[in-house]
Structure formats: C-alpha cells, structure tokens
Amino acid sequence: VRITECAPSAFPGLLQTRDYAHAIITRSRERLADYEVQTRVMLRIARAELLTRKREPVEFHAFVGMSAFTATLGGHQVMADQLEHVQEMTKRDNVTVQAIDMSGDWTDAHSGAWILYEFDDLPPAVYLEHLSSCAVLVEDADVEVYKATAEALRREAMSPEDTAGLIASVIPRLLGDTK
C-alpha cells in the first residue's frame, strides 16, 4: 500500500505527535467535548501505526507546505517535538517528506490538501477533505490527475535531504538556541 499526501498548511495526521494533533483538533471551529477531543487524538495517533508496524508498513510520501515547518502551532515546544518526530520518521525507509515553498510561483499544492491511496489489490482512490465534508474520487481520469500532480510535486518540492536540513535548522530556533 502506498499513500501520497499533499498537506499545504499542517503536517499530515500520519506524522503528527499527540500534542500537535491535540493543538489542531482543539482549534477547529467545531466545539468538541473533552472526551471527543481525546478520542480524535487517540484515533489519529493509532493510525500512524501503519507507518511503523513490523509487517508490511505502508509506504508514505508527504508534500508539506513550508509554513507547517515554521509555524508555532501549540507553542514552541510542541512544534519542536513535532519536527523531531518528523525527523525520526523520515529515517524510516518507507517515509519520505518533502517541503513545498508556496511563497513564490503557483504549484499544484496551492489547490489544497489531498491524499492518494494506491493499493496492491484494489483500484486507487483520492480523498479530499474540506471544512465540513469530504469526497472520495475513484474515476480513473480523476485519480490520474493526482498521480501526475504527485510526480510534479516530487520534482518541484525540496529534496528529502534538503527538507531534513530545514527541519534541523528550525528546531534550535524554536527552542531559543541561536548558536
């Protein structure tokens, strides 16, 4: 199974720490009871096991907007922990993260978030999530657009190595270490 995700404004759920997920979920427009927040956080964190399980971990490629790397969502310590987590996850053979600089020319990432699921024994699908609804695209022509978009973003985004360098440079600034 392969998952490719374009996340222009925040780290994908599969790469989120508990505190980062909590910060996102509690800042949504939807007013949730504490138990609902905790349930959503727990489910989000549990899904991440797809990347770390011993037997057939999912191959995951994330394109993440540059602002997600430099934001202070949840505070400086939460963001530093989030970036350290992403840094550790990218050491795995099945996880790739590429930063996308969205401050310049238009890229396909500007069109919004999406997730492409490619299965070994099922047709591929694209998941789109919006503020109050979602859609799943399964028509070949629709899916092919997202496959082509993923290939374009692989070329346009920072390399995985440069993205790792970005993460390594941001963490000390978040923690107040200016050395």
Side-chain angles (χ1 to χ4, degrees):
V1 176
R2 289 165 304 289
I3 300 173
T4 304
E5 183 164 354
C6 178
S9 57
F11 285 99
L14 290 176
L15 293 177
Q16 292 178 7
T17 63
R18 181 175 305 281
D19 289 339
Y20 185 85
H22 188 271
I24 289 173
I25 291 168
T26 56
R27 284 166 177 76
S28 71
R29 287 195 176 279
E30 194 176 4
R31 298 294 170 224
L32 302 170
D34 286 344
Y35 79 90
E36 291 174 302
V37 170
Q38 295 309 320
T39 299
R40 289 183 186 198
V41 169
M42 182 186 66
L43 290 171
R44 186 167 293 181
I45 299 308
R47 283 195 301 263
E49 190 216 341
L50 291 170
L51 303 179
T52 60
R53 64 186 181 196
K54 289 182 180 174
R55 230 175 121 230
E56 298 181 31
V58 168
E59 181 183 320
F60 184 63
H61 196 122
F63 301 105
V64 182
M66 190 78 76
S67 63
F69 293 86
T70 58
T72 55
L73 182 61
H76 290 268
Q77 187 63 56
V78 169
M79 276 307 302
D81 292 346
Q82 174 61 39
L83 288 171
E84 288 172 350
H85 176 68
V86 171
Q87 196 173 45
E88 283 303 308
M89 291 299 289
T90 59
K91 292 177 182 175
R92 300 181 63 83
D93 292 338
N94 62 311
V95 177
T96 303
V97 176
Q98 289 183 262
I100 306 167
D101 183 357
M102 297 176 61
S103 65
D105 288 338
W106 179 268
T107 70
D108 288 327
H110 284 89
S111 296
W114 50 266
I115 307 171
L116 170 64
Y117 294 94
E118 297 176 274
F119 306 98
D120 296 330
D121 53 355
L122 295 169
V126 175
Y127 177 77
L128 306 171
E129 187 172 332
H130 305 284
L131 188 58
S132 64
S133 64
C134 66
V136 177
L137 308 177
V138 294
E139 296 295 326
D140 289 343
D142 293 328
V143 172
E144 288 305 317
V145 168
Y146 287 90
K147 285 182 177 181
T149 298
E151 286 307 313
L153 288 174
R154 276 182 179 78
R155 292 186 304 274
E156 296 166 4
M158 291 175 77
S159 71
E161 296 77 20
D162 288 345
T163 300
L166 170 67
I167 293 170
S169 73
V170 172
I171 293 170
R173 290 193 306 237
L174 286 169
L175 298 176
D177 181 5
T178 56
K179 294 178 189 174

PDB file of all heavy atoms in Angstrom, residues 123-126 136-143:
ATOM      1  N   PRO A 123      -8.414  -0.816  -6.772  1.00  0.00           N
ATOM      2  CA  PRO A 123      -8.145   0.398  -7.552  1.00  0.00           C
ATOM      3  C   PRO A 123      -7.745   1.558  -6.627  1.00  0.00           C
ATOM      4  O   PRO A 123      -8.166   1.614  -5.470  1.00  0.00           O
ATOM      5  CB  PRO A 123      -9.491   0.702  -8.221  1.00  0.00           C
ATOM      6  CG  PRO A 123     -10.319  -0.517  -8.077  1.00  0.00           C
ATOM      7  CD  PRO A 123      -9.799  -1.272  -6.902  1.00  0.00           C
ATOM      8  N   PRO A 124      -6.958   2.493  -7.150  1.00  0.00           N
ATOM      9  CA  PRO A 124      -6.556   3.637  -6.331  1.00  0.00           C
ATOM     10  C   PRO A 124      -7.732   4.583  -6.086  1.00  0.00           C
ATOM     11  O   PRO A 124      -8.739   4.556  -6.801  1.00  0.00           O
ATOM     12  CB  PRO A 124      -5.477   4.317  -7.178  1.00  0.00           C
ATOM     13  CG  PRO A 124      -5.785   3.912  -8.579  1.00  0.00           C
ATOM     14  CD  PRO A 124      -6.394   2.535  -8.491  1.00  0.00           C
ATOM     15  N   ALA A 125      -7.573   5.440  -5.082  1.00  0.00           N
ATOM     16  CA  ALA A 125      -8.602   6.416  -4.753  1.00  0.00           C
ATOM     17  C   ALA A 125      -7.933   7.673  -4.211  1.00  0.00           C
ATOM     18  O   ALA A 125      -6.821   7.630  -3.686  1.00  0.00           O
ATOM     19  CB  ALA A 125      -9.568   5.853  -3.717  1.00  0.00           C
ATOM     20  N   VAL A 126      -8.637   8.793  -4.346  1.00  0.00           N
ATOM     21  CA  VAL A 126      -8.162  10.073  -3.814  1.00  0.00           C
ATOM     22  C   VAL A 126      -9.182  10.568  -2.803  1.00  0.00           C
ATOM     23  O   VAL A 126     -10.381  10.570  -3.073  1.00  0.00           O
ATOM     24  CB  VAL A 126      -7.980  11.118  -4.941  1.00  0.00           C
ATOM     25  CG1 VAL A 126      -7.599  12.480  -4.358  1.00  0.00           C
ATOM     26  CG2 VAL A 126      -6.938  10.651  -5.941  1.00  0.00           C
ATOM     27  N   VAL A 136     -14.473  11.262  -2.037  1.00  0.00           N
ATOM     28  CA  VAL A 136     -13.545  10.229  -2.469  1.00  0.00           C
ATOM     29  C   VAL A 136     -13.688  10.100  -3.975  1.00  0.00           C
ATOM     30  O   VAL A 136     -14.794   9.880  -4.495  1.00  0.00           O
ATOM     31  CB  VAL A 136     -13.840   8.873  -1.782  1.00  0.00           C
ATOM     32  CG1 VAL A 136     -12.901   7.800  -2.307  1.00  0.00           C
ATOM     33  CG2 VAL A 136     -13.716   9.003  -0.271  1.00  0.00           C
ATOM     34  N   LEU A 137     -12.583  10.267  -4.683  1.00  0.00           N
ATOM     35  CA  LEU A 137     -12.562  10.164  -6.136  1.00  0.00           C
ATOM     36  C   LEU A 137     -12.023   8.799  -6.530  1.00  0.00           C
ATOM     37  O   LEU A 137     -10.953   8.401  -6.063  1.00  0.00           O
ATOM     38  CB  LEU A 137     -11.682  11.259  -6.735  1.00  0.00           C
ATOM     39  CG  LEU A 137     -11.965  12.701  -6.290  1.00  0.00           C
ATOM     40  CD1 LEU A 137     -10.957  13.653  -6.914  1.00  0.00           C
ATOM     41  CD2 LEU A 137     -13.382  13.092  -6.628  1.00  0.00           C
ATOM     42  N   VAL A 138     -12.753   8.097  -7.386  1.00  0.00           N
ATOM     43  CA  VAL A 138     -12.324   6.766  -7.808  1.00  0.00           C
ATOM     44  C   VAL A 138     -12.266   6.616  -9.325  1.00  0.00           C
ATOM     45  O   VAL A 138     -11.732   5.621  -9.819  1.00  0.00           O
ATOM     46  CB  VAL A 138     -13.243   5.663  -7.212  1.00  0.00           C
ATOM     47  CG1 VAL A 138     -13.103   5.611  -5.697  1.00  0.00           C
ATOM     48  CG2 VAL A 138     -14.684   5.865  -7.631  1.00  0.00           C
ATOM     49  N   GLU A 139     -12.800   7.581 -10.055  1.00  0.00           N
ATOM     50  CA  GLU A 139     -12.764   7.516 -11.524  1.00  0.00           C
ATOM     51  C   GLU A 139     -11.312   7.615 -11.990  1.00  0.00           C
ATOM     52  O   GLU A 139     -10.542   8.432 -11.496  1.00  0.00           O
ATOM     53  CB  GLU A 139     -13.589   8.653 -12.134  1.00  0.00           C
ATOM     54  CG  GLU A 139     -15.068   8.580 -11.828  1.00  0.00           C
ATOM     55  CD  GLU A 139     -15.739   7.356 -12.456  1.00  0.00           C
ATOM     56  OE1 GLU A 139     -15.335   6.947 -13.567  1.00  0.00           O
ATOM     57  OE2 GLU A 139     -16.644   6.802 -11.812  1.00  0.00           O
ATOM     58  N   ASP A 140     -10.964   6.769 -12.968  1.00  0.00           N
ATOM     59  CA  ASP A 140      -9.583   6.716 -13.448  1.00  0.00           C
ATOM     60  C   ASP A 140      -9.042   8.088 -13.836  1.00  0.00           C
ATOM     61  O   ASP A 140      -7.914   8.436 -13.482  1.00  0.00           O
ATOM     62  CB  ASP A 140      -9.463   5.763 -14.643  1.00  0.00           C
ATOM     63  CG  ASP A 140      -9.620   4.308 -14.247  1.00  0.00           C
ATOM     64  OD1 ASP A 140      -9.498   4.007 -13.037  1.00  0.00           O
ATOM     65  OD2 ASP A 140      -9.860   3.478 -15.141  1.00  0.00           O
ATOM     66  N   ALA A 141      -9.822   8.864 -14.571  1.00  0.00           N
ATOM     67  CA  ALA A 141      -9.363  10.175 -15.028  1.00  0.00           C
ATOM     68  C   ALA A 141      -9.053  11.094 -13.847  1.00  0.00           C
ATOM     69  O   ALA A 141      -8.055  11.827 -13.860  1.00  0.00           O
ATOM     70  CB  ALA A 141     -10.414  10.817 -15.934  1.00  0.00           C
ATOM     71  N   ASP A 142      -9.878  11.075 -12.819  1.00  0.00           N
ATOM     72  CA  ASP A 142      -9.636  11.895 -11.632  1.00  0.00           C
ATOM     73  C   ASP A 142      -8.370  11.449 -10.908  1.00  0.00           C
ATOM     74  O   ASP A 142      -7.529  12.275 -10.527  1.00  0.00           O
ATOM     75  CB  ASP A 142     -10.820  11.816 -10.661  1.00  0.00           C
ATOM     76  CG  ASP A 142     -12.075  12.458 -11.205  1.00  0.00           C
ATOM     77  OD1 ASP A 142     -11.976  13.438 -11.967  1.00  0.00           O
ATOM     78  OD2 ASP A 142     -13.171  11.968 -10.858  1.00  0.00           O
ATOM     79  N   VAL A 143      -8.235  10.160 -10.711  1.00  0.00           N
ATOM     80  CA  VAL A 143      -7.078   9.626  -9.985  1.00  0.00           C
ATOM     81  C   VAL A 143      -5.791   9.929 -10.743  1.00  0.00           C
ATOM     82  O   VAL A 143      -4.771  10.292 -10.140  1.00  0.00           O
ATOM     83  CB  VAL A 143      -7.245   8.112  -9.733  1.00  0.00           C
ATOM     84  CG1 VAL A 143      -5.964   7.506  -9.166  1.00  0.00           C
ATOM     85  CG2 VAL A 143      -8.422   7.863  -8.787  1.00  0.00           C
TER      86      VAL A 143
END
